[in-house]
Amino acid sequence: MRDDFSPRTKDVLFKRARGNCSNPSCQKETSMAHSDENKAVNIGFAAHITAAAPGGERYDPTLSAQERGSAHNGIWLCGTCAKLIDSDSQKYTIELLRAWKIIAETGNEHEAAKLAVFSKIEKMMPELLEEMRNDLKGYPLKREFILMRNKRQGYVQIYPYSGK
């Protein structure tokens, strides 16, 4: 038995996210005009942060059916991001999804921009680490450091020392 969102809860999630995907690196508009003026196109989804049923991604058995179907357990996403979060639940954790939700709902564009930059860097990390490994293989180096205490300001400064 799935604890799905009610139409009212879906509407609340949509409006709280201002109709945009809550993923800070996406923020795609999920609602647009249809060619028929009596219709609209919706490509967004009210996604569960913790799964609606046992066996689903990020399922939390401690939640009641009411809690699983509440707006607190939901996040508004575009179709691509909704699929993405359920395809890699180790990367898209409950904590991360809650952070996305808070940023989207508070309209904190500065925080969203920081998280988007971090996400881009995170995606680049395997490539950057491989590049660093290759550099170290080709150009092994030895570094020594001198620790000096700054008595006036009360902190330790670290100076590279090449031994020259």
Side-chain angles (χ1 to χ4, degrees):
M1 178 83 172
R2 287 181 52 87
D3 298 314
D4 289 322
F5 297 121
S6 69
R8 182 185 178 287
T9 299
K10 290 177 184 179
D11 187 54
V12 165
L13 291 169
F14 169 80
K15 288 176 179 174
R16 289 181 63 87
R18 295 170 195 81
N20 295 324
C21 179
S22 295
N23 178 344
S25 60
C26 177
Q27 297 182 325
K28 181 186 291 184
E29 289 183 40
T30 63
S31 182
M32 54 217 56
H34 189 279
S35 58
D36 179 341
E37 67 180 31
N38 295 311
K39 296 181 180 178
V41 177
N42 176 33
I43 59 167
F45 294 90
H48 285 82
I49 294 173
T50 66
E57 299 300 324
R58 298 172 302 278
Y59 181 73
D60 182 352
T62 65
L63 295 182
S64 68
Q66 185 178 4
E67 290 170 316
R68 272 191 284 283
S70 73
H72 177 72
N73 190 41
I75 184 170
W76 189 259
L77 298 168
C78 71
T80 301
C81 292
K83 172 69 175 150
L84 184 67
I85 68 162
D86 283 346
S87 297
D88 190 353
S89 61
Q90 288 185 344
K91 181 175 182 180
Y92 300 101
T93 63
I94 293 167
E95 295 77 19
L96 178 64
L97 298 179
R98 291 209 191 284
W100 285 3
K101 178 181 171 112
I102 290 167
I103 291 167
E105 291 181 358
T106 59
N108 192 335
E109 285 78 19
H110 180 67
E111 285 300 313
K114 286 194 311 189
L115 197 53
V117 168
F118 180 77
S119 294
K120 288 177 185 176
I121 292 170
E122 186 178 38
K123 289 176 186 171
M124 294 171 54
M125 287 307 292
E127 183 181 324
L128 293 171
L129 289 171
E130 184 60 30
E131 184 179 325
M132 290 170 63
R133 280 187 199 98
N134 291 335
D135 283 348
L136 287 171
K137 285 179 190 173
Y139 306 100
L141 58 97
K142 179 180 175 185
R143 290 260 184 201
E144 294 176 302
F145 295 92
I146 299 172
L147 301 178
M148 299 183 72
R149 183 168 302 278
N150 183 322
K151 292 180 182 177
R152 284 188 307 223
Q153 296 178 358
Y155 62 87
V156 175
Q157 290 180 298
I158 302 173
Y159 297 96
Y161 177 70
S162 64
K164 294 180 182 175

